[in-house]
Amino acid sequence: MRKIYFLWFILLTSLLSGCIMPPSFMSSRNASLSAQEQQLKCQDICTDYDKVIVLTRRKNADLQQAQEDNAF
C-alpha cells in the first residue's frame, strides 16, 4: 500500500514542479498570445493531463492486481 502512495506522491510532485513558472515570465508570455491561442494552449495541457491520469489509473490498477496476486 505504501508503494501506491509513494508512486502518487512522485507523480504529483513531478507534475507540479514542471508546471510552475515565474510570474514575470508568464505575464510577458501571456501578453504576446491572443485569447484564442491561450485557449488552445490550455486545451492541449488539459489533454496531456487527461492522458497522465488515464495512465496513472492503469498503473494503479496493475499494482493493485499484482499486490492481490502476491497476497494469495
Side-chain angles (χ1 to χ4, degrees):
M1 191 66 173
R2 287 183 179 179
K3 290 181 182 180
I4 293 172
Y5 288 125
F6 181 72
L7 289 173
W8 277 103
F9 174 76
I10 296 296
L11 175 68
L12 290 175
T13 305
S14 63
L15 287 174
L16 292 176
S17 66
C19 298
I20 299 173
M21 295 183 191
S24 60
F25 174 79
M26 290 302 296
S27 63
S28 64
R29 176 86 172 134
N30 288 340
S32 64
L33 296 176
S34 70
Q36 186 176 15
E37 289 171 329
Q38 288 179 12
Q39 182 180 10
L40 291 173
K41 185 174 178 97
C42 289
Q43 287 174 348
D44 289 342
I45 291 170
C46 288
T47 301
D48 292 341
Y49 284 137
D50 288 340
K51 290 176 185 176
V52 169
I53 290 170
V54 168
L55 292 174
T56 303
R57 286 182 178 161
R58 284 184 192 161
K59 184 65 175 176
N60 187 24
D62 292 343
L63 289 171
Q64 286 179 343
Q65 184 64 43
Q67 186 178 17
E68 290 173 7
D69 291 344
N70 289 335
F72 294 112

